[in-house]
Amino acid sequence: MARVVLGVGASHSTLMNTHWDQVGHTDRAQLFRDALADAREAIVAARPDVAIIVGSNHFRGFWLDLIPAFTLGVGEVIASGEAGTPSGPQRVDPAFAQVLAQHLVEAGTEVAISARLQIDHGQTHAIQYLMHGLDVPVVPLVINVFAAPLPRLDRCVQLGRNIAAAVEAMPADLRVAVIASGGLSHQLPWPPDWRDPQGDDEEFLVQAWLNGRGEWEHYDKRRRQIILAAQPTIFEEFDRAFLGDLEGGALGRYASMSSQDIEAMAGNGGQELRAWLVMAAALSFAPGRTLAYAPMPEWLTGMGVAVIDPAATP
């Protein structure tokens, strides 16, 4: 019987690639990077046959002309390669992904599918640091966390549970890892609502999100300038509480929260924690283990790494 054998949650930030030499908190930065290496070793030890990578989209693979709540890559997967992340075709398992999609739809989670999916650092940051050198195919699952209206958090939990059920229903003896990429708390200088942009920067970003299909690089330089000019906003108390709930197997309590609740507690970047809820639900909210937490204002983000290993849970 197939089964989910490991869950991993890890923050992402392209500034880790492009601004390492500008880090003031070098001990914190190295702590986070070392934890990524430890999480990779946990993946190696779990011996997965395939890894489902759950993450957000940052308007390099999806745009406002069409942005589903959940999208599963069931065929070719192309990485954008922004800011030093992997680029080009990725190793995938279309047969597994297509069966997974069928099971999810039949279970009541209507994921969109893409036979030629473009992903960005919402998934490729994990590929770069957690899957480097591993001969394991990936199946990307992209969650809309930045273009309102966002999927409800309880629907994300249901998605995770349905992933576990779908895997267990497969006849092959497969070992599956579920990796969540994103979070923890941070605040991006993006419009609070794309439908009502305020000022030149927000107008520019909405135009980039609407018209970027096929030419996202045309908008990328100014986008990066807007992000780099942002004031770091990290909610360290929330981050530590969230990781504590992961360790206690209590992340299910976030299912009752709204998008407004999450933004108030963790900033608009905290909406990426939906990926962690999907991952934890796929592991039945088993207690996990935090490998590192590093508040990194240089990267605008509270950076965390954690694992949920059901084999290590009494």
Coordinates of all heavy atoms in Angstrom, one line a residue, residues 140-191:
P140 N 4.2 19.2 -8.3 CA 3.9 20.5 -7.7 C 2.4 20.7 -7.5 O 1.6 20.3 -8.3 CB 4.4 21.5 -8.7 CG 5.1 20.8 -9.8 CD 4.6 19.4 -9.7
L141 N 2.1 21.3 -6.3 CA 0.7 21.6 -6.0 C 0.7 23.1 -5.6 O 1.3 23.5 -4.6 CB 0.1 20.8 -4.9 CG -1.3 21.1 -4.3 CD1 -2.3 21.1 -5.5 CD2 -1.6 20.2 -3.2
V142 N 0.1 23.9 -6.5 CA 0.2 25.4 -6.3 C -1.1 25.9 -5.7 O -2.2 25.6 -6.2 CB 0.4 26.1 -7.6 CG1 0.6 27.6 -7.4 CG2 1.7 25.5 -8.3
I143 N -1.0 26.7 -4.6 CA -2.1 27.3 -3.9 C -2.1 28.8 -4.2 O -1.1 29.4 -4.0 CB -2.1 27.0 -2.4 CG1 -2.0 25.5 -2.1 CG2 -3.3 27.6 -1.7 CD1 -1.9 25.1 -0.7
N144 N -3.3 29.3 -4.5 CA -3.4 30.7 -4.7 C -3.5 31.4 -3.3 O -4.4 31.2 -2.6 CB -4.7 31.1 -5.5 CG -5.0 32.5 -5.4 OD1 -4.2 33.4 -5.3 ND2 -6.3 32.8 -5.5
V145 N -2.5 32.1 -2.9 CA -2.4 32.8 -1.6 C -2.3 34.3 -1.7 O -2.3 35.0 -0.7 CB -1.3 32.2 -0.7 CG1 -1.4 30.8 -0.5 CG2 0.1 32.6 -1.3
F146 N -2.3 34.9 -2.9 CA -2.1 36.3 -3.1 C -3.2 37.0 -3.9 O -3.2 38.3 -3.9 CB -0.7 36.6 -3.7 CG 0.4 36.2 -2.8 CD1 1.4 35.3 -3.1 CD2 0.5 36.8 -1.5 CE1 2.4 35.0 -2.3 CE2 1.5 36.5 -0.6 CZ 2.5 35.6 -1.0
A147 N -4.1 36.3 -4.6 CA -5.1 37.0 -5.4 C -6.4 36.7 -4.8 O -7.0 35.6 -5.0 CB -5.0 36.5 -6.8
A148 N -7.0 37.6 -4.0 CA -8.3 37.4 -3.4 C -9.4 37.2 -4.4 O -9.3 37.9 -5.5 CB -8.6 38.7 -2.5
P149 N -10.3 36.4 -4.1 CA -10.5 35.6 -2.9 C -9.7 34.4 -2.8 O -9.5 33.7 -3.8 CB -12.0 35.3 -2.9 CG -12.3 35.1 -4.4 CD -11.5 36.2 -5.1
L150 N -9.2 34.1 -1.6 CA -8.3 33.0 -1.3 C -9.1 31.8 -0.9 O -10.1 31.9 -0.3 CB -7.2 33.3 -0.3 CG -6.4 34.6 -0.5 CD1 -5.4 34.8 0.7 CD2 -5.8 34.7 -1.8
P151 N -8.6 30.6 -1.1 CA -9.3 29.4 -0.6 C -9.3 29.4 0.9 O -8.3 29.8 1.6 CB -8.4 28.2 -1.2 CG -7.1 28.8 -1.4 CD -7.3 30.2 -1.9
R152 N -10.4 28.9 1.5 CA -10.5 28.9 2.9 C -9.5 27.9 3.5 O -9.1 26.9 2.9 CB -11.9 28.4 3.3 CG -13.0 29.3 2.9 CD -14.3 29.0 3.7 NE -14.5 27.6 3.9 CZ -15.5 26.9 3.3 NH1 -16.3 27.5 2.5 NH2 -15.7 25.6 3.6
L153 N -9.1 28.2 4.7 CA -8.1 27.3 5.4 C -8.6 25.9 5.7 O -7.9 24.9 5.6 CB -7.6 28.0 6.7 CG -6.5 29.0 6.4 CD1 -7.1 30.4 6.0 CD2 -5.6 29.2 7.7
D154 N -9.9 25.8 6.0 CA -10.4 24.5 6.2 C -10.5 23.6 4.9 O -10.3 22.4 4.9 CB -11.8 24.5 6.8 CG -12.8 25.2 6.0 OD1 -12.5 26.1 5.1 OD2 -14.0 24.9 6.1
R155 N -10.6 24.3 3.8 CA -10.5 23.6 2.5 C -9.1 23.1 2.2 O -8.9 22.0 1.6 CB -10.9 24.5 1.4 CG -12.4 24.8 1.4 CD -13.2 23.6 0.9 NE -13.0 23.4 -0.6 CZ -13.5 22.3 -1.2 NH1 -14.1 21.3 -0.5 NH2 -13.3 22.1 -2.5
C156 N -8.1 23.9 2.7 CA -6.7 23.4 2.6 C -6.4 22.2 3.5 O -5.7 21.2 3.0 CB -5.7 24.5 3.0 SG -5.8 26.0 1.9
V157 N -7.0 22.2 4.6 CA -6.9 21.0 5.5 C -7.6 19.8 4.9 O -7.0 18.7 4.9 CB -7.5 21.3 6.9 CG1 -7.7 20.0 7.7 CG2 -6.6 22.3 7.6
Q158 N -8.8 20.0 4.3 CA -9.4 18.9 3.6 C -8.6 18.4 2.5 O -8.5 17.2 2.2 CB -10.8 19.4 3.1 CG -11.6 18.3 2.4 CD -12.9 18.8 1.8 OE1 -12.9 19.9 1.2 NE2 -13.9 18.0 1.8
L159 N -7.9 19.3 1.7 CA -7.1 18.9 0.6 C -6.0 18.0 1.1 O -5.7 17.0 0.5 CB -6.5 20.2 0.0 CG -5.4 20.0 -1.1 CD1 -5.9 19.1 -2.2 CD2 -4.9 21.3 -1.6
G160 N -5.3 18.4 2.2 CA -4.3 17.6 2.8 C -4.8 16.2 3.2 O -4.1 15.1 2.9
R161 N -5.9 16.1 3.8 CA -6.4 14.8 4.2 C -6.8 14.0 3.0 O -6.6 12.7 3.0 CB -7.7 15.0 5.1 CG -7.3 15.6 6.5 CD -8.6 15.9 7.3 NE -8.3 16.1 8.7 CZ -9.0 17.0 9.4 NH1 -10.0 17.6 9.0 NH2 -8.6 17.2 10.7
N162 N -7.3 14.6 1.9 CA -7.6 13.9 0.7 C -6.4 13.4 0.0 O -6.4 12.4 -0.7 CB -8.5 14.7 -0.2 CG -9.9 14.9 0.4 OD1 -10.4 14.1 1.2 ND2 -10.7 15.8 -0.2
I163 N -5.3 14.1 0.1 CA -4.0 13.7 -0.5 C -3.6 12.4 0.2 O -3.2 11.4 -0.5 CB -2.9 14.7 -0.3 CG1 -3.2 15.9 -1.3 CG2 -1.5 14.1 -0.5 CD1 -2.2 17.1 -1.1
A164 N -3.7 12.3 1.5 CA -3.3 11.1 2.2 C -4.2 9.9 1.9 O -3.7 8.8 1.6 CB -3.4 11.3 3.8
A165 N -5.5 10.2 1.8 CA -6.4 9.1 1.4 C -6.2 8.7 0.0 O -6.2 7.5 -0.3 CB -7.9 9.6 1.6
A166 N -5.9 9.6 -0.9 CA -5.6 9.2 -2.3 C -4.4 8.4 -2.4 O -4.3 7.4 -3.2 CB -5.5 10.5 -3.2
V167 N -3.3 8.8 -1.7 CA -2.1 8.0 -1.7 C -2.3 6.6 -1.2 O -1.9 5.6 -1.8 CB -1.0 8.7 -0.9 CG1 0.2 7.8 -0.7 CG2 -0.6 10.0 -1.6
E168 N -3.1 6.5 -0.1 CA -3.3 5.2 0.5 C -4.2 4.3 -0.4 O -4.1 3.1 -0.3 CB -4.0 5.3 1.9 CG -3.0 5.9 2.9 CD -3.7 6.3 4.2 OE1 -4.9 6.0 4.3 OE2 -3.1 6.9 5.1
A169 N -5.0 4.9 -1.3 CA -5.8 4.1 -2.2 C -5.1 3.6 -3.4 O -5.6 2.7 -4.1 CB -7.0 5.0 -2.7
M170 N -3.8 4.0 -3.6 CA -3.1 3.6 -4.8 C -2.5 2.2 -4.5 O -2.0 1.9 -3.4 CB -1.9 4.6 -5.0 CG -2.4 5.9 -5.5 SD -1.0 7.0 -5.9 CE -1.9 8.6 -6.1
P171 N -2.6 1.3 -5.5 CA -2.2 -0.1 -5.3 C -0.7 -0.3 -5.2 O -0.2 -1.2 -4.5 CB -2.8 -0.8 -6.6 CG -2.9 0.3 -7.6 CD -3.2 1.5 -6.8
A172 N 0.1 0.6 -5.8 CA 1.5 0.4 -5.8 C 2.1 0.7 -4.4 O 1.5 1.5 -3.7 CB 2.2 1.4 -6.8
D173 N 3.2 0.1 -4.1 CA 3.8 0.3 -2.8 C 4.7 1.5 -2.8 O 6.0 1.4 -2.8 CB 4.6 -1.0 -2.4 CG 5.1 -0.9 -0.9 OD1 4.5 -0.1 -0.2 OD2 6.0 -1.6 -0.6
L174 N 4.1 2.7 -2.9 CA 4.9 3.9 -3.1 C 5.1 4.6 -1.7 O 4.3 4.5 -0.8 CB 4.2 4.9 -4.0 CG 4.1 4.5 -5.5 CD1 3.2 5.5 -6.2 CD2 5.4 4.4 -6.1
R175 N 6.2 5.2 -1.6 CA 6.6 6.1 -0.4 C 6.5 7.5 -0.9 O 7.2 7.9 -1.9 CB 7.9 5.7 0.1 CG 8.0 4.2 0.6 CD 9.4 3.9 1.0 NE 9.9 4.6 2.1 CZ 9.7 4.3 3.4 NH1 9.0 3.2 3.7 NH2 10.2 5.0 4.4
V176 N 5.7 8.3 -0.2 CA 5.5 9.7 -0.7 C 5.9 10.7 0.4 O 5.5 10.5 1.6 CB 4.0 9.9 -1.1 CG1 3.7 11.3 -1.5 CG2 3.6 8.9 -2.1
A177 N 6.6 11.7 0.0 CA 6.9 12.8 0.9 C 6.1 14.0 0.5 O 5.8 14.2 -0.7 CB 8.4 13.2 0.8
V178 N 5.6 14.8 1.5 CA 4.9 16.0 1.2 C 5.7 17.2 1.8 O 6.0 17.2 3.0 CB 3.4 16.0 1.8 CG1 2.7 17.3 1.5 CG2 2.7 14.8 1.3
I179 N 6.0 18.1 0.9 CA 6.9 19.2 1.3 C 6.1 20.5 1.2 O 5.5 20.8 0.1 CB 8.1 19.3 0.4 CG1 9.0 18.0 0.6 CG2 9.0 20.5 0.8 CD1 10.1 17.9 -0.4
A180 N 6.0 21.3 2.2 CA 5.3 22.6 2.2 C 6.4 23.7 2.1 O 7.3 23.7 2.9 CB 4.5 22.8 3.5
S181 N 6.2 24.6 1.2 CA 7.2 25.7 1.0 C 6.5 27.0 1.1 O 5.4 27.3 0.5 CB 7.8 25.6 -0.5 OG 8.7 26.6 -0.7
G182 N 7.0 27.9 2.0 CA 6.4 29.2 2.2 C 6.4 29.6 3.7 O 6.8 28.9 4.6
G183 N 5.9 30.9 3.9 CA 5.8 31.4 5.3 C 7.3 31.6 5.8 O 8.2 31.5 5.0
L184 N 7.5 31.9 7.0 CA 6.4 32.0 8.0 C 5.9 33.5 7.9 O 5.5 33.9 6.8 CB 6.9 31.7 9.4 CG 7.4 30.2 9.6 CD1 8.1 30.1 10.9 CD2 6.3 29.2 9.5
S185 N 5.9 34.3 9.0 CA 5.3 35.6 8.9 C 6.2 36.5 8.0 O 7.4 36.5 8.1 CB 5.1 36.2 10.3 OG 6.4 36.5 10.9
H186 N 5.5 37.3 7.2 CA 6.2 38.4 6.5 C 5.1 39.3 5.8 O 4.0 38.8 5.7 CB 7.2 37.9 5.5 CG 6.7 37.0 4.4 ND1 6.3 35.7 4.7 CD2 6.7 37.2 3.1 CE1 6.0 35.1 3.5 NE2 6.2 36.0 2.6
Q187 N 5.5 40.5 5.5 CA 4.6 41.4 4.9 C 5.2 41.9 3.5 O 6.3 42.5 3.5 CB 4.3 42.6 5.8 CG 3.4 43.7 5.2 CD 1.9 43.2 5.2 OE1 1.5 42.3 5.9 NE2 1.2 43.7 4.3
L188 N 4.6 41.6 2.4 CA 5.0 42.0 1.1 C 4.4 43.3 0.8 O 3.2 43.6 1.1 CB 4.7 41.0 0.1 CG 5.4 39.6 0.3 CD1 4.9 38.6 -0.7 CD2 6.9 39.7 0.1
P189 N 5.1 44.2 0.0 CA 4.6 45.5 -0.4 C 3.6 45.4 -1.6 O 3.8 46.1 -2.6 CB 5.8 46.3 -0.7 CG 6.8 45.3 -1.2 CD 6.5 44.1 -0.4
W190 N 2.7 44.5 -1.4 CA 1.7 44.2 -2.5 C 0.4 44.8 -2.2 O 0.1 45.1 -1.0 CB 1.6 42.7 -2.7 CG 2.8 42.1 -3.4 CD1 4.0 42.7 -3.7 CD2 2.9 40.7 -3.8 NE1 4.8 41.8 -4.2 CE2 4.2 40.6 -4.3 CE3 2.1 39.6 -3.7 CZ2 4.7 39.4 -4.8 CZ3 2.6 38.4 -4.2 CH2 3.9 38.3 -4.7
P191 N -0.4 45.1 -3.2 CA -1.8 45.7 -2.9 C -2.6 44.8 -1.9 O -2.6 43.6 -2.1 CB -2.4 45.7 -4.3 CG -1.3 45.6 -5.3 CD -0.2 44.8 -4.6

